Amino acid sequence: VQLQASGGGMVQPGGSLRLSCTASGFTLDYRSIGWFRQVQGKRHEGVSCLVGSDGRPAYVEAVKGRFTMSQDRAQSTVFLEMNNLKPEDTATYFCATPVICQSDGPMWHGEVVRYWGQGTQVTVSS
């Protein structure tokens, strides 16, 4: 049972990446799911989330207009399209479910989150 994120890499500022997060051993069903990112030594930050098969994604202010979250529930996979990447986007990105999905992005709650993955590294540097 795991959530596996992939698609990270190193890009120059202004570049793009598309991350995927796939559930194995369970199905997403109508769970809320969120993307988080973490810089080593710092607390993780919520990036984006959505609820259900037709939920509208919510984003943290720092990524609005640049990141787009989408999903393929049939494949138990969510995606994060990241455009116009900035050096401050450098982090390990991972997904978790379920989450508290608020209008300004996901909130991690220890008594709510059940599954999360190792993450994929995104490095934005010239």
Side-chain angles (χ1 to χ4, degrees), residues 12 19 21 23 39 56 61-62 87 98 105 107-108 111 123:
Q12 294 185 342
L19 307 184
C21 176
V39 176
R56 177 179 293 182
E61 189 64 34
M107 185 177 78
W108 184 286
E111 295 183 5
T123 302

Side-chain angles (χ1 to χ4, degrees), residues 9-17 83-87 123-126:
M10 179 179 289
V11 297
Q12 294 185 342
S16 299
L17 284 171
N83 297 313
N84 190 22
L85 282 161
K86 303 177 180 181
T123 302
V124 184
S125 175
S126 56

Side-chain angles (χ1 to χ4, degrees), residues 103-117:
S103 59
D104 58 351
M107 185 177 78
W108 184 286
H109 192 294
E111 295 183 5
V112 172
V113 175
R114 186 172 182 184
Y115 305 110
W116 64 93

Side-chain angles (χ1 to χ4, degrees), residues 37 45-49 58-67 86 88-89 102-106:
R37 61 187 181 186
E45 174 190 30
V47 176
S48 180
C49 59
Y59 305 93
V60 68
E61 189 64 34
V63 308
K64 283 182 179 178
R66 301 188 296 121
F67 290 12
K86 303 177 180 181
E88 52 264 40
D89 294 319
Q102 306 177 122
S103 59
D104 58 351

Side-chain angles (χ1 to χ4, degrees), residues 45-91:
E45 174 190 30
V47 176
S48 180
C49 59
L50 51 76
V51 180
S53 60
D54 57 356
R56 177 179 293 182
Y59 305 93
V60 68
E61 189 64 34
V63 308
K64 283 182 179 178
R66 301 188 296 121
F67 290 12
T68 302
M69 183 175 181
S70 60
Q71 62 183 327
D72 182 346
R73 291 271 172 170
Q75 300 296 324
S76 288
T77 300
V78 294
F79 306 96
L80 187 66
E81 184 79 32
M82 305 187 296
N83 297 313
N84 190 22
L85 282 161
K86 303 177 180 181
E88 52 264 40
D89 294 319
T90 295

